[in-house]
């Protein structure tokens, strides 16, 4: 008889801060995101704790009173893991663990763990492994003992197992090795990209889970993995797409997230090079998400980091089928909330706000995809005209035809 495999969800507690810059409402959204991250990693959230404070406590992140409360809750509910919505310093990590005697995961470690679970190709695995080691090195005393590793589960799926005394040196060597390996692959990838010739390159970028892969599938009629979890895509997919008579290369890339660990940005250099070398960016946004404006800002932040913010961009507001608009009461004197805007109003606002082209679509339902193709055609054509100035006649006689 086949053994029935039950999914075992690790029970966790989430901890976040409410500060001047991060008011209660924001923190709630961030905690929702953290819960989604935890769920993606294989955890079930049992409790959430937040604390109002000016800045994180240098010793325990939250105050010791709050931490006692959390510890008590964990004991009562038989919970072994506590997840913090920020990167903890190595000493905070150590102190909190000592205080609570629980497994402590911070936001960075959680994201690294998801990446480790999701990495498919040896290239992605090498990238994640490097990021994990770099995270690990300054935190070695805490998590590298055999005892710690035996606890297993989220955040413990680190690369390999070694004894603590020699670990630091071994890990440094390993980092050097991985860097060399990546350098070699990066070179190969760069050559590969060069060999793709002069075709115009379009990159789909956006926050995680906004529908990039779904859109990739719609536009290129391919079958890229898409699902309702975070970071479904780690490996870049490139497809040749023809719109009208214009061919171009379309790239689906890893999703961005608020506070994307720097270790990951570094080790995913080649993946991000796809974005860096793109001629045109399609910035996909999930307009049905309450924090979509924050998401846009995070993505732009990362784009800025990799020097790609000033590229020609189309902002594709996706999931309009899921967009909910709550009519504001007429006599309401309070400020209009995000949710009170209609799609039309948002459309007008964004057209006024940005110099980029904007379009509102549903990749899943196929709404406005022809419009998006038309826009892509126009933008790719502009790039074509600059790149092949003597070849323009090709397109002069062309009229866009719906498929
Ligand atoms: N309602 C609705 N859902 C959509 C739409 N487009 C995509 N989705 C869903 O959103 C989820 C995420 O889609 P993906 O295409 O995997 O998103 P992604 O941006 O590639 O995500 P990562 O690779 O994880 O960063 C899936 O469950 C899709 O079915 C849409 O237009 N409307
Ligand atoms: Mg994807």
């Amino acid at each position: 008889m086949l053994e029935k495999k039950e999914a075992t969800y690790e029970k966790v507690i989430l901890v976040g801060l409410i500060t001047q810059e991060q008011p209660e409402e924001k923190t709630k959204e961030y905690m929702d995101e953290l819960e989604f991250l935890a769920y993606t990693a294989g955890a079930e959230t049992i409790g959430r704790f937040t604390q109002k404070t000016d800045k994180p406590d240098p010793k325990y992140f939250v105050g010791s009173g709050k931490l006692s409360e959390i510890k008590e809750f964990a004991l009562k509910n038989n919970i072994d893991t506590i997840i913090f919505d920020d990167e903890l310093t190595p000493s905070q990590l150590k102190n909190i663990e000592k205080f609570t005697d629980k497994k402590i995961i911070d936001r960075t470690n959680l994201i690294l763990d998801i990446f480790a679970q999701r990495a498919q190709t040896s290239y992605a695995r090498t990238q994640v492994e490097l990021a994990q080691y770099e995270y690990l090195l300054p935190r070695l005393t805490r998590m590298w003992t055999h005892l710690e590793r035996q606890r297993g589960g989220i955040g413990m799926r680190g690369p390999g197992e070694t004894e603590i005394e020699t670990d630091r040196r071994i890990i440094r060597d390993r980092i050097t090795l991985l860097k060399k390996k990546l350098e070699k692959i990066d070179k190969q990838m760069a050559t590969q990209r060069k060999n793709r010739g002069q075709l115009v390159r379009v990159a789909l970028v956006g926050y995680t889970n906004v529908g990039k892969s779904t859109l990739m599938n719609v536009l290129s009629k391919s079958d890229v993995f898409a699902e309702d979890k975070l970071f479904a895509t780690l490996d870049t997919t490139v497809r040749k797409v023809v719109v009208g008579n214009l061919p171009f290369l379309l790239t689906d890339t890893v999703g961005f997230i608020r506070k994307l660990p720097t270790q990951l940005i570094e080790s995913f250099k080649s993946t991000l090079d796809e974005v860096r070398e793109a001629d045109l960016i399609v910035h996909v946004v999930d307009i049905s998400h309450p924090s979509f404006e924050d998401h846009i800002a995070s993505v732009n932040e990362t784009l800025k980091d990799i020097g790609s913010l000033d590229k020609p961009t189309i902002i594709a507001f996706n999931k309009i089928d899921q967009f909910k608009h709550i009519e504001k009461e007429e006599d309401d004197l309070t400020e209009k909330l995000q949710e009170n805007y209609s799609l039309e109003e948002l459309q007008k606002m964004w057209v006024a706000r940005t110099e980029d082209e904007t379009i509102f679509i549903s990749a899943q339902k196929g709404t406005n995809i022809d419009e998006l193709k038309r826009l892509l055609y126009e933008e790719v054509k502009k790039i074509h005209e600059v790149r092949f100035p003597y070849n323009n006649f090709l397109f002069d006689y062309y009229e866009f035809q719906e498929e």
Side-chain angles (χ1 to χ4, degrees), residues 208-214 226-233 255 318-319 321-322 362-364:
T208 179
N209 208 43
V210 294
K212 298 179 293 298
S213 299
T214 309
E227 75 164 337
D228 196 13
K229 281 195 177 174
L230 303 179
F231 302 113
T233 309
N318 189 31
K319 304 200 189 181
D321 59 294
Q322 212 171 261
S362 166
Q364 203 179 54

Side-chain angles (χ1 to χ4, degrees), residues 34-296:
L34 191 67
E35 183 166 340
F36 198 6
L37 280 169
Y39 163 75
T40 301
E44 183 192 357
T45 300
I46 305 295
R48 286 186 183 192
F49 286 83
T50 52
Q51 184 169 46
K52 280 205 178 93
T53 174
D54 289 340
K55 55 180 184 343
D57 182 83
K59 191 165 181 199
Y60 293 127
F61 189 73
V62 291
S64 57
K66 181 60 88 180
L67 200 58
S68 302
E69 210 182 298
I70 295 168
K71 182 181 177 181
E72 208 170 293
F73 182 88
L75 283 175
K76 213 179 266 168
N77 293 281
N78 218 356
I79 297 167
D80 287 326
T81 309
I82 308 171
I83 302 180
F84 288 77
D85 188 33
D86 215 327
E87 183 164 320
L88 299 170
T89 65
S91 76
Q92 277 172 334
L93 208 53
K94 213 162 70 190
N95 296 334
I96 300 168
E97 195 174 56
K98 211 165 160 197
F99 188 100
T100 58
D101 196 30
K102 298 287 168 198
K103 183 168 88 182
I104 307 302
I105 307 277
D106 65 7
R107 187 185 164 84
T108 303
N109 196 1
L110 182 62
I111 293 175
L112 287 174
D113 192 86
I114 295 171
F115 272 63
Q117 283 184 56
R118 302 221 147 205
Q120 295 284 331
T121 59
S122 90
Y123 180 51
R125 276 201 293 271
T126 311
Q127 288 173 313
V128 177
E129 202 180 328
L130 175 62
Q132 282 186 310
Y133 275 129
E134 282 181 334
Y135 172 83
L136 215 55
L137 196 57
R139 296 168 176 82
L140 214 51
T141 45
R142 171 196 162 247
M143 52 194 311
W144 213 240
T145 64
H146 269 97
L147 192 75
E148 283 309 323
R149 307 210 47 84
Q150 272 159 13
R151 284 192 181 170
I154 297 165
M156 296 295 138
R157 277 175 283 254
E161 294 203 22
T162 37
E163 297 290 340
I164 188 158
E165 310 82 56
T166 43
D167 279 346
R168 231 177 271 262
R169 188 179 47 77
I170 292 175
I171 287 182
R172 273 203 204 97
D173 289 351
R174 186 82 189 132
I175 286 177
T176 313
L177 201 84
L178 286 168
K179 276 190 176 158
K180 272 197 192 127
K181 196 169 158 191
L182 277 180
E183 231 168 74
K184 210 170 136 197
I185 307 178
D186 283 345
K187 256 189 211 140
Q188 286 168 358
M189 305 269 271
T191 317
Q192 253 178 40
R193 284 197 301 271
K194 226 180 247 159
N195 288 345
R196 281 191 217 138
Q198 285 196 296
L199 274 183
V200 172
R201 288 196 233 154
V202 182
L204 293 166
V205 303
Y207 212 73
T208 179
N209 208 43
V210 294
K212 298 179 293 298
S213 299
T214 309
L215 188 57
M216 173 85 170
N217 289 337
V218 170
L219 290 174
S220 70
K221 303 191 181 72
S222 56
D223 204 8
V224 177
F225 180 62
E227 75 164 337
D228 196 13
K229 281 195 177 174
L230 303 179
F231 302 113
T233 309
L234 282 196
D235 288 298
T236 306
T237 318
V238 184
R239 292 271 185 283
K240 188 171 163 191
V241 176
V242 183
V243 175
N245 64 348
L246 261 187
F248 58 88
L249 294 174
L250 186 66
T251 310
D252 180 24
T253 56
V254 57
F256 297 168
I257 196 163
R258 186 176 68 92
K259 294 188 189 158
L260 189 67
T262 45
Q263 298 93 335
L264 278 175
I265 298 185
E266 251 168 60
S267 62
F268 273 70
K269 179 186 170 300
S270 207
T271 308
L272 293 172
D273 276 346
E274 290 284 351
V275 179
R276 214 175 275 129
E277 291 177 16
D279 301 296
L280 172 68
I281 284 177
V282 178
H283 181 165
V284 186
V285 177
D286 174 0
I287 192 138
S288 74
H289 197 290
S291 307
F292 82 88
E293 295 201 4
D294 273 1
H295 293 178
I296 293 176

